[in-house]
Amino acid sequence: MRTRPLKVALLGCGVVGSEVARIMTTHADDLAARIGAPVELVGVAVRRPSKVREGIDPTLITTDATALVQRGDIDVVVEVIGGIEPARTLITTAFENGASVVSANKALLAEDGAALHAAAEKYGRDLYYEAAVAGAIPLVRPLRESLVGDKVNRVLGIVNGTTNFILDKMDTSGAGYSEALDEATALGYAEADPTADVEGFDAAAKAAILAGIAFHTRVKIGDVHREGITEVTAADIASARRMGCTVKLLAICERAADGRSVTARVHPAMIPLSHPLASVREAYNAVFVEAEAAGQLMFYGPGAGGSPTASAVLGDLVAVCRNKLGEATGPGESAYTRLPVSPMGEVVTRYHISLDVADKPGVLAQVATVFAEQGVSIDTVRQQGKDGEASLVVVTHRAPDAALSGTVEALRKLDTVRGVASIMRVEGE
């Protein structure tokens, strides 16, 4: 074993960063044995130096992150501060000054991953980011390495624990959205400002990263169709239950049947209770990968939190340190296919549509005619009425999203349709 330690700088020391530092200290001997050399934490960049950080040598703390990554003797920089800037500049500066980078920054990678990969390649450094997607679940490396000889056609899964907790509580307890969100906040699953989670931004960033790796093309967060869960109601959950389904916020990345394009989307969807994703409870994550040779693979586990995310960071740290010792680098960006990302209007799926209609003869015929004129085939219809008002639930066969949008627009013009109560896609069948 080499006795000179590999030097590590840590950017950020919050929930994840402090856990990374703790594991590096308490498991130092094991990490050294696995890497082939000891690792030494030589600096920790923070915004609030006066905060007490138990188990971390105060002499390592600095507020000058730029000076830390410019030192020139750092082997690996671990970035867990998040956001676009200053993280982007700090990472590129680390590459320029001889360090490889381990990051958990999904937002930055989804927005500017191509430029970061280009900088890493230019300077001959590693860029690893297992912790950016699904916490402790090994997902990025299997796609980048284990399945690199296969053809991945679809990635489908639950990649945000906060929204899964909320939807699970709405399903199991009958709570409304606001009530379930309050519980998630009280338990620490939701941030004080939950927008990134409940509006789907977090899941969309992860979908962009997964689609880019799976399909060897460049997908940015702006390419991902995004819908959150704020409009999901207790009535939607009840309708799903009547269909033998539950509601989940899904990230879905697909290769087109002709192989000439890809799609990436995040939205709530009904999935059958028989589907393995339906049983994913509380704040857990699970992702299905469908490949030609390997078939269906499922990855399941805790998708967030200090310890799970730190586990992924440390796994990358070990891999990058091994590469350093071997004077090599791991896999970089693979975007050779240059496949375009198709718009949401071209996505084909099933739909569950709930309408408020007048309870009188001929309404169903009018509604059915609209669907037929738009080329959307109806699978099932359920109608309940009382005192002149009725609820009409239509489940379609598979149709393009653009056709469904035209159908809804036409339905709203009918005098007998009082309103469109909800629209939800049906997946997993």
Side-chain angles (χ1 to χ4, degrees), residues 308-326:
T309 306
S311 171
V313 169
L314 267 295
D316 278 351
L317 179 63
V318 169
V320 170
C321 286
R322 286 172 173 171
N323 290 343
K324 278 278 185 179
L325 290 180

Side-chain angles (χ1 to χ4, degrees), residues 248-335:
K248 298 291 186 183
L249 183 72
L250 298 180
I252 305 171
C253 311
E254 296 177 305
R255 188 192 300 268
D258 61 8
R260 296 180 180 177
S261 64
V262 299
T263 59
R265 50 195 165 105
V266 168
H267 54 71
M270 297 180 178
I271 58 172
L273 294 175
S274 58
H275 195 285
L277 289 178
S279 62
V280 178
R281 300 296 185 187
E282 304 251 319
Y284 278 77
N285 285 190
V287 178
F288 262 89
V289 177
E290 298 177 9
E292 284 196 356
Q296 287 191 337
L297 307 172
M298 182 173 174
F299 300 83
Y300 170 84
S307 294
T309 306
S311 171
V313 169
L314 267 295
D316 278 351
L317 179 63
V318 169
V320 170
C321 286
R322 286 172 173 171
N323 290 343
K324 278 278 185 179
L325 290 180
E327 298 182 346
T329 55
E333 182 188 35
S334 175

Side-chain angles (χ1 to χ4, degrees), residues 330-399:
E333 182 188 35
S334 175
Y336 73 93
T337 63
R338 296 183 175 87
L339 296 173
V341 182
S342 296
M344 187 63 188
E346 297 179 12
V347 171
V348 176
T349 189
R350 298 179 67 206
Y351 298 87
H352 175 281
I353 304 149
S354 180
L355 305 171
D356 295 326
V357 300
D359 186 17
K360 62 182 184 181
V363 173
L364 182 56
Q366 287 183 330
V367 169
T369 297
V370 168
F371 276 86
E373 289 175 346
Q374 296 294 325
V376 179
S377 177
I378 294 175
D379 182 14
T380 63
V381 176
R382 185 178 71 253
Q383 183 174 359
Q384 292 179 323
K386 185 179 181 181
D387 299 329
E389 298 295 330
S391 173
L392 188 66
V393 176
V394 179
V395 180
T396 74
H397 288 290
R398 290 171 61 82

Side-chain angles (χ1 to χ4, degrees), residues 10-352:
L10 179 61
L11 306 182
C13 197
V15 173
V16 176
S18 59
E19 187 66 7
V20 169
R22 185 192 69 79
I23 295 173
M24 285 186 64
T25 302
T26 58
H27 295 181
D29 291 342
D30 286 335
L31 290 173
R34 295 165 190 172
I35 292 168
V39 289
E40 178 186 2
L41 185 62
V42 297
V44 181
V46 300
R47 288 184 297 176
R48 296 186 295 275
S50 60
K51 181 180 177 181
V52 176
R53 294 171 173 86
E54 189 175 341
I56 297 177
D57 183 350
T59 64
L60 299 180
I61 301 296
T62 178
T63 57
D64 195 343
T66 299
L68 181 59
V69 298
Q70 286 178 335
R71 278 179 42 166
D73 65 336
I74 304 295
D75 293 292
V76 184
V77 169
V78 175
E79 183 271 310
V80 289
I81 57 178
I84 305 301
E85 288 291 356
R88 174 168 48 200
T89 299
L90 291 171
I91 289 173
T92 54
T93 302
F95 290 146
E96 293 168 3
N97 286 273
S100 290
V101 172
V102 172
S103 176
N105 196 332
K106 53 188 171 286
L108 178 57
L109 288 159
E111 177 63 34
D112 213 17
L116 294 180
H117 277 292
E121 183 177 3
K122 176 181 177 180
Y123 293 103
R125 316 299 178 210
D126 272 325
L127 175 61
Y128 275 49
Y129 44 91
E130 184 67 65
V133 182
I137 304 172
L139 188 57
V140 171
R141 194 170 300 153
L143 286 172
R144 287 176 73 171
E145 300 179 31
S146 303
L147 294 173
V148 72
D150 207 340
K151 181 180 180 182
V152 176
N153 291 316
R154 194 175 195 227
V155 179
L156 175 148
I158 298 163
V159 295
N160 182 272
T162 301
T163 53
N164 198 59
F165 180 90
I166 292 170
L167 293 172
D168 183 43
K169 288 303 174 184
M170 291 176 69
D171 185 31
T172 57
S173 71
Y177 167 77
S178 296
E179 186 181 353
L181 173 59
D182 288 344
E183 184 176 353
T185 304
L187 292 172
Y189 292 126
E191 301 287 345
D193 179 1
T195 303
D197 293 321
V198 300
E199 294 292 357
F201 290 101
D202 175 85
K206 295 170 183 176
I209 294 169
L210 292 176
I213 300 171
F215 307 134
H216 302 278
T217 194
R218 287 178 178 168
V219 180
K220 299 179 69 173
I221 190 169
D223 299 320
V224 182
H225 174 82
R226 176 192 54 79
E227 298 173 30
I229 67 167
T230 56
E231 301 301 318
V232 176
T233 66
D236 293 326
I237 301 293
S239 290
R241 195 177 297 114
R242 283 192 290 269
M243 288 177 57
C245 293
T246 190
V247 177
K248 298 291 186 183
L249 183 72
L250 298 180
I252 305 171
C253 311
E254 296 177 305
R255 188 192 300 268
D258 61 8
R260 296 180 180 177
S261 64
V262 299
T263 59
R265 50 195 165 105
V266 168
H267 54 71
M270 297 180 178
I271 58 172
L273 294 175
S274 58
H275 195 285
L277 289 178
S279 62
V280 178
R281 300 296 185 187
E282 304 251 319
Y284 278 77
N285 285 190
V287 178
F288 262 89
V289 177
E290 298 177 9
E292 284 196 356
Q296 287 191 337
L297 307 172
M298 182 173 174
F299 300 83
Y300 170 84
S307 294
T309 306
S311 171
V313 169
L314 267 295
D316 278 351
L317 179 63
V318 169
V320 170
C321 286
R322 286 172 173 171
N323 290 343
K324 278 278 185 179
L325 290 180
E327 298 182 346
T329 55
E333 182 188 35
S334 175
Y336 73 93
T337 63
R338 296 183 175 87
L339 296 173
V341 182
S342 296
M344 187 63 188
E346 297 179 12
V347 171
V348 176
T349 189
R350 298 179 67 206
Y351 298 87
H352 175 281

